[in-house]
Amino acid sequence: MKPNSRPKVIHPAGSRRRSHPLRLSSGAIAWLLLSTQVGVILSSLVPLAQAQSNLQKQEDQLIRQFAPPPAPLPAPVYQPAPAPPPAADYTAPAPAPAQPSQPASDPAERTASKPGATADRLPLSQYVYEFNRDPRVGNSLQLRGTYSEARLKFTRPRNWDLKSVKALIRFQHSPALLANRSNLTVRVNGTSVGSVPLNRKQSQTGQILVNIPPNLIQNYNELTLVAQQNNSPTCSDPADQTLWTEILPNSRLLFDFYPKAIALDFSHYPYPLFDDLSLDANQVAYLQPNQINESWLTSIARFQAGMGRLADFRPLESQLVKKLDEVPANHRLVIIGTPQEQPTLKSLKLPYRMADNQFIDGSKVALPEDVGLLMLTTSRNSNVPVLVVTGNGPEGVAKALQFLLQPQQRKLATGAAVLVDQLSEAPTPPPRQWARYLPEENSFQLSDLKDLNDQPIQDVTVRGAYAPPVEFNFRALPDDRFKRGNTMTLVYSHSPQVNPRLSTVEVRIDGIPIGGKRLTSENGANRESVNLNLPEDLIQPTSKMQVAFNLVPKEPGECGRVVDQQLWGTVHGDTRFNLQRDQSVKLPDLKLLQTGYPFTAPQDLSTTAIALPDNPSSSELETLLEFSERLGRLSQSDGIQLQVYTVGTLPEPVRQRANLVGIGKREHFPFPEVFQSRGFQIGDLFGRRSDQSQVQTLPDTGGVVKQILSPWNGDRVLLALTAQTDAGLDRLKELLAYDSLFFRLKDDTVVINTSEKNPSQYKPDAWAMQFFQEADKTQRIDNSTPLTKASRFLQDHWYFLPTGIVTASLVLYGVVQLYLKRVAVGDKR
């Protein structure tokens, strides 16, 4: 129906056929007729416009529906390469049972272990996990007293089909132990798998080789070593120092397994690109494009930051390659960029085909430049899984990458190819909203904090007279400054078998006791509470809080043994905290970099910009990867907005508003302003200077980390990662990669060097680190009341206080003398 036909149907002139007591003039009737027609026309046009808008949206959606490939390739399958054979000798000379068993003992297994013997099973491999890889083991695991346990946790990689598992335990024990009353038991996930009497003479080394049923091994496992020790046929004193057994660090677990072929599917992402159950460091390689540009630099930095978040505390190794055949077997390869930037894409078997250097859909139509494409495939005879992040334009590549970095969005992914058309960007979180730190609110409960698995802390119960304390992170935000009056109301309960006269509950911060209370309930199981003051100087960005129950049973055990499994204590999630704090931080300070501040505020890294030379070298690119990974490990958010530029493409507005990071060698460092500031500097011809001193070194293989206030914005900082040579950049990569070095940062400048060729990260003394605090300009970022600012000013500049007191006294003395003179003159008159 036409828009002007509808008013004729409901024309008001028809009302004149009826008799009506109200008579209207011809002008009024005409005006009424006109207004009615206009209203009807407008009312008919509104739904028509809405219908046209909806139709347009539907047409746009239909236009953006891309045809899938006509004949999709089979799902790519990653075939892990066989593990290298283990070393011939793992131990000192030992009895035959100590030697690792030979794989493939029966004919069927020997046939299967030959490459190509079966189509669905790879050769049998062996992996050795030595106890000394666990930092808690150290030189030995100590087992003391009449009953003692030591625990070791390990995982099972996802691509292992276990054939057999053995535990080789080497130990020494006290010669005072009675063999018929002392033994060592091995348990795996709560099941006993073997035991041996402690009967060695003169503390000779003993060992036990036990078979562990493969069906006991899960993704996460716990090996428990239980020592029952007695030196008396009747009654042994649990505190006797002669009751000891040591588990030697060269004890090990031996795994025989078949590597499993893995069908690549985005529904399992990030596996196999990253395996959180791996016993070794995950190894990722990035393929360099034919020309390095700002878009690719930003993409690899964001992706590496995302890998850092996935890795968390786990080791991660990354490298750059220029060709596919440079990627070692079983490494993971990431290719980021358009077909023009990554011509190697033409040589891979990909679900989407290319024509004229562009990806096309099933209708042979080129994908728009703002559409991202994610694909999984393999290379190197299927021994290397490959992730492709691409598109026909930089906008599409960025959209595909951001899809992978947002955990909620990537849940939509499945299959071997994902085409990203529309993406909802994650909002930038507030600057002080840090997931693993104290909440922004000053009043909160224990349930508002998160445990090691990033889950809210609920009621936590521990058992036993010597139960470990309830421990949780109590990390202050980096710019928190605590005042007096911080309190904690601990809500707890305990078992009724506890002797209240001898049992206590104690609260500690980083092992320092801050208060406690004797348990007073006779019946137990009733909630009790205790109010404690939290010292303001103990709450730090790395703090942990411990709540320890010291439980003693009402009835002593027989022969000194304490039957304590009926003893328990519970810390309840409604434990309350009330803090008094404001925000104040002084920059520059490299110690704040241990938390990522200020680069990780907000946590999506949106206020951080990294600059590299126009033609960055491999060492400079690898330093970029290490720094991005460290930022990822130190932050948590739904998205990553880190930006990377070359010195020629860095916009002036970014200089003004962002926290800047410069990476590069001295000769072409992006920000020469760093070398014009006061303090330690590296100069031309391997020169070094500090204040009025200047020297020349040969060679200079040290790396320099220096932080100054940004020359373009006094509320921002500029961080320099620089060196004279590539060897110096290698030192910076080690500093960023190893926690033992990174968490030693302090002051405003750090110089790191080593004289060893391949120093071990477990020997921090192998590096020499010098610290300098010589910044010529500092800035306090303050968000507090004027009274607090004045108080802090006097604290920071205390030497002004005596001068101020003397000046105020003189002024007051002068005023009093003037007043007395005027009074005297008035009296004379």
Side-chain angles (χ1 to χ4, degrees):
M1 182 180 294
K2 297 180 179 180
N4 59 356
S5 62
R6 187 176 179 185
K8 294 181 180 180
V9 178
I10 56 173
H11 200 290
S15 61
R16 290 182 292 178
R17 299 177 183 177
R18 304 177 184 176
S19 60
H20 201 283
L22 180 62
R23 295 178 176 272
L24 300 175
S25 64
S26 59
I29 292 174
W31 179 84
L32 179 63
L33 178 62
L34 180 61
S35 61
T36 303
Q37 288 179 337
V38 171
V40 171
I41 291 174
L42 290 177
S43 62
S44 63
L45 289 178
V46 169
L48 180 62
Q50 293 177 349
Q52 291 177 345
S53 176
N54 293 335
L55 181 61
Q56 184 66 35
K57 290 181 179 179
Q58 293 176 0
E59 289 177 353
D60 291 342
Q61 291 177 355
L62 289 175
I63 292 174
R64 299 288 287 194
Q65 295 293 329
F66 305 101
L73 297 174
V77 177
Y78 162 46
Q79 300 276 355
D89 185 18
Y90 294 106
T91 67
Q99 301 297 327
S101 59
Q102 297 296 324
S105 57
D106 59 77
E109 291 170 8
R110 286 197 297 270
T111 303
S113 64
K114 295 179 182 179
T118 60
D120 58 348
R121 174 163 284 190
L122 297 174
L124 188 68
S125 300
Q126 187 178 80
Y127 186 91
V128 178
Y129 182 88
E130 295 202 357
F131 285 15
N132 58 9
R133 289 177 51 179
D134 192 316
R136 294 171 298 178
V137 173
N139 293 325
S140 64
L141 282 174
Q142 300 286 335
L143 299 170
R144 295 186 176 276
T146 57
Y147 181 90
S148 182
E149 294 182 355
R151 293 177 172 85
L152 183 74
K153 296 183 182 294
F154 63 96
T155 58
R156 177 193 59 190
R158 300 180 188 275
N159 66 328
W160 283 10
D161 182 9
L162 287 176
K163 171 66 171 55
S164 67
V165 185
K166 296 180 175 63
L168 176 62
I169 311 299
R170 296 172 59 85
F171 60 90
Q172 289 179 309
H173 63 81
S174 169
L177 298 185
L178 297 179
N180 60 347
R181 300 198 65 200
S182 304
N183 58 74
L184 177 67
T185 302
V186 182
R187 295 177 184 167
V188 175
N189 297 331
T191 301
S192 297
V193 294
S195 183
V196 63
L198 300 176
N199 57 2
R200 299 302 189 271
K201 303 296 183 181
Q202 299 178 354
S203 299
Q204 293 178 349
T205 299
Q207 63 183 19
I208 174 177
L209 181 67
V210 297
N211 291 308
I212 303 173
N215 58 0
L216 284 182
I217 304 300
Q218 306 167 6
N219 287 344
Y220 297 93
N221 306 277
E222 183 178 70
L223 176 73
T224 306
L225 301 171
V226 182
Q228 292 183 338
Q229 304 172 121
N230 288 278
N231 57 4
S232 171
T234 56
C235 183
S236 300
D237 182 6
D240 192 336
Q241 294 300 308
T242 63
L243 300 177
W244 60 266
T245 297
E246 291 185 351
I247 307 301
L248 302 183
N250 58 354
S251 301
R252 60 184 58 89
L253 294 171
L254 307 172
F255 300 92
D256 290 334
F257 65 95
Y258 294 104
K260 293 191 296 187
I262 304 162
L264 301 182
D265 195 306
F266 275 109
S267 60
H268 303 303
Y269 186 87
Y271 183 77
L273 193 70
F274 182 87
D275 185 3
D276 57 347
L277 301 179
S278 176
L279 293 173
D280 289 322
N282 285 274
Q283 297 164 320
V284 180
Y286 295 92
L287 183 65
Q288 288 188 221
N290 51 12
Q291 184 175 2
I292 295 175
N293 54 36
E294 170 192 337
S295 174
W296 183 80
L297 290 173
T298 298
S299 296
I300 64 165
R302 290 182 177 183
F303 188 88
Q304 185 71 0
M307 292 296 291
R309 290 182 177 179
L310 292 173
D312 200 2
F313 58 89
R314 305 172 185 88
L316 176 66
E317 297 177 0
S318 56
Q319 62 176 319
L320 293 166
V321 296
K322 296 183 179 179
K323 298 179 182 179
L324 288 180
D325 54 9
E326 294 179 6
V327 184
N330 292 336
H331 283 49
R332 280 70 170 152
L333 177 64
V334 179
I335 303 178
I336 301 177
T338 63
Q340 293 84 358
E341 297 169 340
Q342 298 284 9
T344 307
L345 293 175
K346 298 178 182 178
S347 63
L348 298 175
K349 294 181 179 179
L350 299 174
Y352 280 84
R353 300 176 181 175
M354 281 191 289
D356 297 329
N357 228 17
Q358 287 187 317
F359 284 100
I360 60 176
D361 65 0
S363 302
K364 298 184 179 180
V365 177
L367 299 176
E369 292 189 356
D370 63 340
V371 172
L373 196 56
L374 297 167
M375 292 176 285
L376 292 171
T377 185
T378 60
S379 68
R380 196 181 173 92
N381 298 325
S382 300
N383 291 152
V384 174
V386 181
L387 169 65
V388 177
V389 183
T390 186
N392 288 334
E395 185 179 350
V397 176
K399 185 180 293 185
L401 178 64
Q402 202 63 27
F403 175 82
L404 278 184
L405 297 178
Q406 297 181 191
Q408 295 300 320
Q409 300 293 330
R410 68 170 179 248
K411 292 180 180 179
L412 302 173
T414 189
V418 176
L419 192 148
V420 185
D421 181 13
Q422 298 178 0
L423 180 66
S424 175
E425 290 283 350
T428 296
R432 290 176 47 79
Q433 183 178 314
W434 291 34
R436 297 181 178 179
Y437 290 73
L438 297 180
E440 297 180 78
E441 299 79 12
N442 285 335
S443 297
F444 55 91
Q445 294 186 352
L446 179 61
S447 56
D448 296 324
L449 303 180
K450 292 187 177 180
D451 58 17
L452 298 179
N453 297 320
D454 286 335
Q455 299 299 319
I457 300 176
Q458 304 298 331
D459 296 353
V460 182
T461 300
V462 293
R463 293 183 176 273
Y466 305 100
V470 177
E471 185 177 71
F472 50 89
N473 290 328
F474 201 73
R475 299 175 178 173
L477 292 169
D479 58 350
D480 276 341
R481 184 179 184 274
F482 290 89
K483 300 178 287 187
R484 293 182 180 180
N486 306 291
T487 60
M488 169 188 182
T489 302
L490 174 65
V491 182
Y492 65 94
S493 59
H494 58 84
S495 60
Q497 294 86 358
V498 168
N499 185 342
R501 293 189 305 106
L502 302 177
S503 302
T504 62
V505 59
E506 183 182 82
V507 178
R508 311 169 192 149
I509 295 180
D510 294 330
I512 300 176
I514 62 172
K517 181 184 177 183
R518 183 171 62 86
L519 304 184
T520 57
S521 175
E522 291 287 345
N523 297 326
N526 295 324
R527 289 197 177 201
E528 300 181 28
S529 63
V530 56
N531 293 322
L532 301 171
N533 289 322
L534 303 178
E536 60 274 10
D537 57 336
L538 290 183
I539 308 176
Q540 302 295 329
T542 56
S543 292
K544 292 180 180 292
M545 182 173 287
Q546 299 94 18
V547 180
F549 287 94
N550 303 309
L551 306 177
V552 178
K554 291 181 179 179
E555 299 295 334
E558 181 181 355
C559 194
R561 294 188 180 89
V562 178
V563 182
D564 60 358
Q565 289 305 301
Q566 79 279 12
L567 305 179
W568 55 264
T570 298
V571 177
H572 294 283
D574 55 352
T575 293
R576 299 179 296 278
F577 301 91
N578 188 20
L579 305 179
Q580 303 296 323
R581 54 180 171 170
D582 51 35
Q583 289 77 55
S584 178
V585 65
K586 191 175 182 180
L587 298 172
D589 187 357
L590 285 177
K591 188 171 184 179
L592 295 171
L593 189 60
Q594 296 180 13
T595 63
Y597 188 87
F599 304 100
T600 53
Q603 292 274 281
D604 65 348
L605 313 178
S606 56
T607 60
T608 299
I610 303 175
L612 282 81
D614 286 328
N615 296 304
S617 65
S618 297
S619 295
E620 291 163 340
L621 291 175
E622 291 171 355
T623 306
L624 168 66
L625 291 178
E626 290 293 349
F627 184 75
S628 302
E629 178 188 329
R630 178 58 68 174
L631 288 183
R633 292 178 184 270
L634 296 173
S635 61
Q636 292 291 324
S637 67
D638 291 334
I640 299 177
Q641 298 297 333
L642 179 66
Q643 291 288 338
V644 184
Y645 304 90
T646 58
V647 64
T649 61
L650 180 63
E652 189 61 29
V654 175
R655 291 178 186 261
Q656 298 288 341
R657 66 172 177 80
N659 291 301
L660 302 172
V661 181
I663 298 175
K665 287 185 287 189
R666 164 72 175 82
E667 56 188 359
H668 48 83
F669 190 72
F671 302 109
E673 293 82 359
V674 172
F675 305 115
Q676 301 166 6
S677 62
R678 182 173 175 269
F680 178 89
Q681 300 292 346
I682 53 177
D684 297 331
L685 301 176
F686 298 102
R688 286 186 174 191
R689 68 177 183 272
S690 178
D691 291 336
Q692 302 300 321
S693 302
Q694 183 170 343
V695 299
Q696 190 171 11
T697 64
L698 188 67
D700 186 351
T701 59
V704 179
V705 182
K706 185 178 181 64
Q707 188 179 95
I708 64 172
L709 292 179
S710 173
W712 303 277
N713 186 340
D715 291 337
R716 301 293 186 184
V717 298
L718 169 59
L719 179 69
L721 302 175
T722 185
Q724 295 279 19
T725 60
D726 288 336
L729 292 180
D730 291 339
R731 303 292 81 79
L732 293 179
K733 289 185 289 184
E734 293 160 356
L735 171 66
L736 294 168
Y738 301 154
D739 290 347
S740 58
L741 299 177
F742 181 78
F743 289 107
R744 290 165 59 184
L745 288 174
K746 62 179 181 179
D747 297 337
D748 60 53
T749 305
V750 175
V751 182
I752 180 171
N753 205 348
T754 182
S755 58
E756 298 185 12
K757 256 190 176 181
N758 297 306
S760 171
Q761 62 172 312
Y762 302 108
K763 292 182 179 180
D765 294 338
W767 286 269
M769 299 180 68
Q770 287 85 33
F771 304 93
F772 299 85
Q773 181 67 49
E774 302 175 330
D776 53 347
K777 295 181 181 179
T778 60
Q779 175 71 24
R780 183 172 289 279
I781 309 299
D782 214 331
N783 184 19
S784 55
T785 62
L787 182 61
T788 302
K789 291 180 180 179
S791 174
R792 188 176 299 114
F793 177 83
L794 292 177
Q795 293 176 10
D796 294 342
H797 305 85
W798 58 269
Y799 44 85
F800 285 156
L801 192 58
T803 305
I805 293 174
V806 173
T807 303
S809 300
L810 294 175
V811 171
L812 182 60
Y813 176 77
V815 172
V816 171
Q817 291 298 319
L818 181 61
Y819 174 76
L820 291 176
K821 288 181 180 180
R822 290 186 177 182
V823 170
V825 171
D827 291 342
K828 289 180 180 180
R829 292 178 180 177

